[in-house]
Amino acid sequence: MKQISVLIKPASSLCNIRCKYCFYANVSGLREVRSFGKMTSEVAEKMITNIFQDLADGDVLTLAFQGGEPTLAGLSYFEHIVALVAAQVKQIDVYYTIQTNGMVINEQWCRFLKANNFLVGLSIDGHPLYHDLNRIDPKGSGTFHRVMLTKHLFDKHEIDYNVLCVLTAPLAKEAKKVMQFIQKEHISYIQFIPCLADLDASEASDYVLTPKEFATFYHQLLTDWLAALEKGQAISVKLFDDIINLLIAKRVTSCGMLGNCQVQYVIEADGSVYPCDFYVLDDHRMGYIQDKTLRQLFSNKNAKRFICEQPNLPETCHTCPFLNMCRGGCKRMKDAMYVDETGYCGYAALLHEFLPQIDYILATVEERCR
């Protein structure tokens, strides 16, 4: 049985808000074509057909939709995708996920998402002030109030969702306020994405995260998270879950966690295919899903070179007690959470705190789940 996940960008880099730190706005701006527009019905049909070519009865497929803002492809696009999948003759377990800024979600969208069991990622930056500082609409106004209306719609319709929070340098100083917001809004699942410098940046901006800021944030978050756990409030923090899965279940649940790239299948709106969401660049284009299956596209030398590339580890890593469970981490995240120019590693600092408490954490979770 195979399990594969395909990340689809049905509206390319199109977006209805203007986040100051958007990594995909930077990536797409480095291409010859900034946006490929909205995926056509013809590309969608060939895409689903060729994805299923590599699958067999009993396999598991996750179709994940991101952007830009994927909802700009229109509800009819997603209805078409679901219909195309339903028309396939192979017996495949298919799961759907979508990452959205929540700006266009309404009752009709919610009925569709619920009926088709979509797992939704909703972008909220952990605190009204910091959300509105960076996540602004085309007129420069904050979007927090509108996004919270969407969250409440998800709650009303009992849609499975998690919150994605971009961890900027200013927000990293406010872990306690972030935890208070999580608890106040009864958020059960949250993922923090380190804010990255642009690929072509000559100097860091004020919002780009550093390893020391990463460690500062997670030090306070861990303290407050453990306090909540003791009170019976089991909040899923993606990075904590990833560490537990790695150590206890021996499963890698985050790409790059062990220092090498895993296979990612990223499909842009024109059907072009790439090995990683961080590198949807002309030089990394594998080909087109209309012409070949994913297996065929990823059998070429460029794909293998990207996936098998080993990072050059700083000297600090060679004497680190956590080398075997990190190996330098994700190469795109290295400046935000791993080793800085002084040799300080934010991820190692977290592991030094987290690992000695892992038995207690597991025992507490088990007790609360009885």
Side-chain angles (χ1 to χ4, degrees), residues 165 179 296:
C165 173
M179 179 56 77
Q296 291 169 335

Side-chain angles (χ1 to χ4, degrees), residues 55-83:
L55 301 175
D57 289 349
D59 287 346
V60 178
L61 169 67
T62 298
L63 296 179
F65 299 92
Q66 291 189 16
E69 174 50 39
T71 59
L72 294 184
L75 184 55
S76 60
Y77 168 85
F78 292 93
E79 292 171 334
H80 185 46
I81 290 290
V82 170

Side-chain angles (χ1 to χ4, degrees), residues 312-324 326-329 338-339 343 345:
N312 294 319
L313 298 182
E315 285 299 319
T316 305
C317 294
H318 295 290
T319 57
C320 177
F322 309 117
L323 176 61
N324 288 334
C326 172
R327 300 189 190 123
Y338 296 105
V339 182
C345 179

Side-chain angles (χ1 to χ4, degrees), residues 289-307:
I289 194 64
Q290 304 95 301
D291 303 328
K292 295 180 179 180
T293 70
L294 291 172
R295 180 180 296 168
Q296 291 169 335
L297 289 166
F298 277 79
S299 64
N300 68 46
K301 292 181 180 179
N302 287 338
K304 293 178 180 178
R305 186 181 302 114
F306 181 88
I307 294 166

Side-chain angles (χ1 to χ4, degrees), residues 70 107 144 154 158 253 273 321:
E107 294 278 352
F144 179 80
F154 289 163
E158 298 182 335
T253 51
V273 180

Side-chain angles (χ1 to χ4, degrees), residues 218-266:
Y218 273 102
H219 168 75
Q220 184 63 57
L221 186 76
L222 179 59
T223 300
D224 295 337
W225 180 76
L226 287 169
L229 189 60
E230 290 172 354
K231 296 177 182 177
Q233 300 172 341
I235 300 166
S236 170
V237 176
K238 179 66 164 57
L239 182 55
F240 296 165
D241 293 346
D242 289 337
I243 295 171
I244 291 171
N245 279 322
L246 181 64
L247 293 177
I248 306 302
K250 310 300 181 186
R251 291 190 294 119
V252 178
T253 51
S254 179
C255 182
M257 195 169 188
L258 290 181
N260 60 306
C261 297
Q262 297 176 19
V263 174
Q264 290 189 16
Y265 304 113
V266 182

